[in-house]
């Protein structure tokens, strides 16, 4: 990390929101079962004595803040019209993405009710969060413009290589179960597996301020052209009237452009020693984007289970 915040708890809380929100778009409906056990109607107060960070990745106060920040409503299910409070719905979501867990296990061990009800409320909440918050939180570049100068200064002080870089970009493949349709579009010959591609832009303090996707099996540099970030950066530059373009730094797999810079390739015979040293310093700091992707998949391990991604 290149910069820090005095309030580490708030930073971790915000980071967990961004990391969790970043992958909601790829979660989908699963097969449900009809057998049921009595529902426990969980609330935060009923489970306050448990180790909530281990079970749900947030403590009691964090759950309360998350509930208010995301404006989660109560849900009424179709069919029998069963009601789920917003607290119980949030707990179902966090328990599901916390680790690879079957609905049957959640039904027996934590929530009761039926698998069908748990599956439906989970998908209702996922759809609500993605439709409501994906654009404001994950693809709204203008929300981060006020931090560009501070980020560029931090990267320059750390690497001493460039003074207008505001973050690091990378693509990632999140594997999924083999689909019945679009198999060719979702298959990655590089990873030899099916999955959806996402593009991360990470600030020097470790926060993901752009997470675009999902996309099909395309090259990382192609995703940059699909998501409209370059056009938005041009508009921001005109509004700010800055003399020098703000840029992202990415690995050599990306295409060099006005707002995306890359280092020289390792086997480039025309690269000078000075260019290789510059690339080495920038690549050393670029690993922060790898840490962010890794933290997302470690914190919410349920999103990495291929069988859950259908």
């Amino acid at each position: 990390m290149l910069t820090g915040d005095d309030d580490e708890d708030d930073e971790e809380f915000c980071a967990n929101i961004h990391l969790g929100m970043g992958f909601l778009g790829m979660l989908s409906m699963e097969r449900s079962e009809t057998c049921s056990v009595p529902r426990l109607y969980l609330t935060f107060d009923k489970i306050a004595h448990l180790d909530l960070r281990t079970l749900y990745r947030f403590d009691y106060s964090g759950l309360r803040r998350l509930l208010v920040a995301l404006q989660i409503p109560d849900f009424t299910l179709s069919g029998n019209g069963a009601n789920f409070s917003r607290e119980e719905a949030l707990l179902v979501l966090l328990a599901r993405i916390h680790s690879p867990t079957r609905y049957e296990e959640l039904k027996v061990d934590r929530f009761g009710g039926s698998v069908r009800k748990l599956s439906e409320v989970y998908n209702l909440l996922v759809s609500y969060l993605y439709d409501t918050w994906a654009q404001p939180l994950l693809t709204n570049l203008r929300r981060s413009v006020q931090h560009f100068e501070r980020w560029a200064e931090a990267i320059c002080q750390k690497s001493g290589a460039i003074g207008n870089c505001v973050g690091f970009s990378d693509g990632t493949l999140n594997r999924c179960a083999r689909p019945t349709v679009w198999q060719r579009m979702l298959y990655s010959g590089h990873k030899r597996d099916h999955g959806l591609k996402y593009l991360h832009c990470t600030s020097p303090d470790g926060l993901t301020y752009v997470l675009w996707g999902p996309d099909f099996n395309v090259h990382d540099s192609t995703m940059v052209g699909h998501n409209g970030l370059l056009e938005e950066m041009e508009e921001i530059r005109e509004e700010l009237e800055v003399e020098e373009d703000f840029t992202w730094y990415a690995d050599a797999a990306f295409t060099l452009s006005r707002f995306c810079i890359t280092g020289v390739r390792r086997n480039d015979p025309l690269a000078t020693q000075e260019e290789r040293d510059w690339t080495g310093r920038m690549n050393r700091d670029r690993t922060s984007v790898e840490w962010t992707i890794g933290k997302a998949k470690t914190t919410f391990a349920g999103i990495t289970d291929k069988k859950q991604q259908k």
Side-chain angles (χ1 to χ4, degrees):
M1 305 301 174
L2 305 185
T3 64
D5 192 283
D6 294 336
D7 192 346
E8 296 181 356
D9 292 336
D10 282 345
E11 182 177 350
E12 182 180 0
F13 175 80
C14 294
N16 281 343
I17 290 180
H18 280 74
L19 295 174
M21 284 295 299
F23 290 90
L24 287 176
M26 62 192 167
L27 304 175
S28 58
M29 181 71 76
E30 310 230 351
R31 182 180 302 174
S32 60
E33 302 174 13
T34 57
C35 57
S36 63
V37 295
R39 273 184 61 190
L40 300 180
Y41 298 93
L42 294 185
T43 64
F44 296 163
D45 292 332
K46 288 183 179 180
I47 61 174
H49 63 285
L50 301 177
D51 186 359
L52 298 182
R53 278 189 174 273
T54 300
L55 295 174
Y56 301 102
R57 294 304 190 195
F58 292 91
D59 58 17
Y60 180 85
S61 62
L63 290 172
R64 287 288 184 190
R65 294 169 61 191
L66 189 61
L67 194 69
V68 174
L70 298 179
Q71 303 175 14
I72 297 175
D74 297 329
F75 291 94
T76 300
L77 307 186
S78 60
N80 59 5
N83 294 320
F84 271 78
S85 69
R86 57 181 190 160
E87 293 186 8
E88 191 173 14
L90 179 59
L91 292 175
V92 171
L93 172 66
L94 294 177
R96 183 67 172 151
I97 66 176
H98 164 268
S99 59
T101 307
R102 298 173 60 245
Y103 283 116
E104 187 69 28
E105 297 173 358
L106 295 179
K107 178 188 72 174
V108 174
D109 298 339
R110 303 193 196 183
F111 299 99
S114 67
V115 170
R116 185 191 66 81
K117 292 179 181 179
L118 294 177
S119 175
E120 186 173 352
V121 71
Y122 168 83
N123 284 279
L124 286 173
L125 181 52
V126 165
S127 298
Y128 167 80
L129 292 177
Y130 188 77
D131 294 342
T132 306
W133 296 110
Q135 197 281 331
L137 284 180
L138 301 175
T139 59
N140 187 0
L141 187 60
R142 296 178 184 276
R143 181 175 52 88
S144 305
V145 170
Q146 58 183 323
H147 304 295
F148 277 5
E149 292 186 1
R150 179 169 61 88
W151 291 344
E153 182 181 357
I155 294 176
C156 182
Q157 290 179 353
K158 180 67 175 180
S159 65
I162 190 170
N164 63 332
C165 180
V166 296
F168 307 98
S169 299
D170 197 13
T172 183
L173 176 77
N174 199 76
R175 291 173 171 82
C176 66
R178 187 177 65 179
T180 56
V181 296
W182 297 346
Q183 289 190 20
R184 184 180 296 275
M185 299 179 69
L186 294 181
Y187 184 77
S188 171
H190 175 59
K191 300 293 186 180
R192 298 182 180 275
D193 211 343
H194 295 88
L196 295 170
K197 296 290 291 289
Y198 292 84
L199 181 69
H200 294 248
C201 293
T202 303
S203 65
D205 51 10
L207 296 180
T208 298
Y209 63 95
V210 172
L211 178 58
W212 187 85
D215 206 339
F216 294 118
N217 178 29
V218 296
H219 196 271
D220 290 350
S221 60
T222 305
M223 285 195 292
V224 176
H226 285 177
N227 57 27
L229 289 178
L230 301 181
E231 292 79 3
E232 190 171 0
M233 285 290 284
E234 175 63 30
E235 295 176 0
I236 291 174
R237 182 189 183 281
E238 294 178 355
E239 293 174 3
L240 296 179
E241 297 181 352
V242 294
E243 297 180 358
E244 192 174 17
D245 295 333
F246 288 117
T247 63
W248 294 291
Y249 181 81
D251 61 36
F254 284 76
T255 301
L256 183 65
S257 67
R258 181 177 177 182
F259 300 106
C260 182
I261 58 176
T262 65
V264 298
R265 295 182 180 274
R266 184 178 305 175
N267 58 351
D268 186 354
L270 301 179
T272 64
Q273 187 59 43
E274 182 180 1
E275 290 174 332
R276 295 182 187 277
D277 293 341
W278 181 89
T279 300
R281 294 197 300 272
M282 292 301 293
N283 284 343
R284 178 194 60 196
D285 297 334
R286 195 193 67 85
T287 54
S288 63
V289 70
E290 305 286 353
W291 300 337
T292 305
I293 297 172
K295 184 177 182 181
K297 294 183 177 182
T298 301
T299 304
F300 301 104
I303 63 177
T304 64
D305 183 18
K306 291 173 51 177
K307 295 180 180 181
Q308 288 189 193
Q309 313 305 320
K310 298 182 180 179

